[in-house]
Amino acid sequence: TEFRSMNRGKVAFFLPARKGSQRVKNKNTRTFAGIEGGLLANKLRQLIATERIEEIILSTNDEECLRIGREYAAQSPRLKVVERPDELCLDTTNLQDLICYVPSITDAEHILWGHVTTPLADAATYDQAVADYFAALDEGYDSLVGVTELKNFLLNGEGQLINNTTSLPWPRTQDLAPLYEINHAVFLAPREVYVEQRNRLGTRPKLYIMDKIRSMDIDWEEDFVIAEALATKML
């Protein structure tokens, strides 16, 4: 591929999809915006359409996810379906244990961790992230993370404004210093960050700023409804 020829190394996409969502029932596989196979099928289609990801790893303990994944793997040799050990699929599983597991199932030099629950982050989103990541490495950054810019008034638990850096009590929101919310669409780092730092981001990540639509993340049932309405118009 383009990045192989530039000696940048292989980029693998790690896609976790465990069984038993508590907040949104069957969120990974129930029909989404008319797509059979739901959020998982949608994400696999998007990933297969990428040009800068050489390996796609679906990591799951869910029988339906395994079935869907194997259907798509029959269409794309880049997709690898890996049955995840049960001890890494519990509600009590430490995320760091899963992070440390990832390098054991891929030899890729760079790992992009993303989620099925960001259905509007598409192939172009990921390809641009990979391009920006390699440019960022050349600039001294050590990883890249998807974020959404936030310019609004925020209060702490005591009702105190925490993000107004101007002398005016109520400046225009566009004049506020921006904050950035991690949107869970993209965590991209070299393999050694996983191995040596036991993390999916380094200590100096480049911010990959995404718009609100592409950043949409499904955590709750109402998120599913909103994302489905958006996807029906866009996908």
Side-chain angles (χ1 to χ4, degrees):
T1 69
E2 176 186 350
F3 289 112
R4 272 286 186 192
S5 65
M6 294 169 59
N7 296 318
R8 306 309 296 255
K10 180 165 79 172
V11 177
F13 192 106
F14 177 72
L15 183 66
R18 75 179 178 91
K19 188 175 184 178
S21 170
Q22 294 183 325
R23 289 176 292 193
V24 185
K25 187 173 177 60
N26 298 323
K27 71 177 177 183
N28 291 332
T29 56
R30 73 195 237 204
T31 301
F32 173 79
I35 300 172
E36 293 295 324
L39 293 172
L40 175 59
N42 172 67
K43 187 56 60 184
L44 291 177
R45 291 179 189 181
Q46 291 169 330
L47 292 172
I48 289 169
T50 60
E51 298 178 356
R52 297 181 172 182
I53 294 169
E54 293 182 50
E55 182 179 52
I56 304 158
I57 302 166
L58 172 61
S59 169
T60 184
N61 68 327
D62 182 271
E63 295 83 1
E64 183 65 6
C65 288
L66 288 167
R67 184 192 67 78
I68 294 167
R70 286 166 182 154
E71 280 186 8
Y72 280 87
Q75 304 170 29
S76 174
R78 289 190 293 152
L79 175 57
K80 181 165 73 171
V81 179
V82 179
E83 193 163 355
R84 197 193 310 171
D86 285 336
E87 64 269 19
L88 292 176
C89 300
L90 305 173
D91 288 333
T92 55
T93 297
N94 188 305
L95 179 60
Q96 194 171 57
D97 291 339
L98 183 58
I99 289 170
C100 292
Y101 165 74
V102 175
S104 74
I105 57 173
T106 180
D107 62 357
E109 292 91 342
H110 309 278
I111 300 167
L112 199 172
W113 182 313
H115 292 100
V116 299
T117 52
T118 58
L120 301 171
D122 58 9
T125 301
Y126 297 126
D127 282 337
Q128 189 60 57
V130 173
D132 286 6
Y133 164 75
F134 283 119
L137 292 183
D138 292 338
E139 295 167 5
Y141 296 93
D142 63 1
S143 50
L144 179 139
V145 60
V147 297
T148 312
E149 184 176 274
L150 177 62
K151 283 190 174 186
N152 211 335
F153 299 104
L154 299 177
L155 304 177
N156 63 17
E158 286 71 50
Q160 297 168 325
L161 199 63
I162 63 173
N163 67 322
N164 181 11
T165 57
T166 75
S167 59
L168 295 172
W170 293 103
R172 299 181 306 169
T173 53
Q174 60 263 44
D175 293 334
L176 292 172
L179 296 173
Y180 298 93
E181 179 183 4
I182 291 176
N183 60 26
H184 302 284
V186 174
F187 299 89
L188 182 47
R191 179 186 190 85
E192 54 262 30
V193 167
Y194 280 73
V195 175
E196 297 169 9
Q197 299 181 34
R198 297 164 60 89
N199 209 329
R200 56 184 175 174
L201 279 184
T203 57
R204 190 169 183 246
K206 173 78 171 182
L207 302 185
Y208 180 56
I209 301 172
M210 297 167 55
D211 63 55
K212 286 184 179 181
I213 291 176
R214 301 293 175 197
S215 296
M216 182 74 197
D217 183 38
I218 297 174
D219 258 341
W220 303 95
E221 185 65 34
E222 63 188 18
D223 298 329
F224 192 99
V225 173
I226 295 167
E228 191 169 39
L230 288 168
T232 299
K233 293 213 174 262
M234 297 178 63
L235 295 177

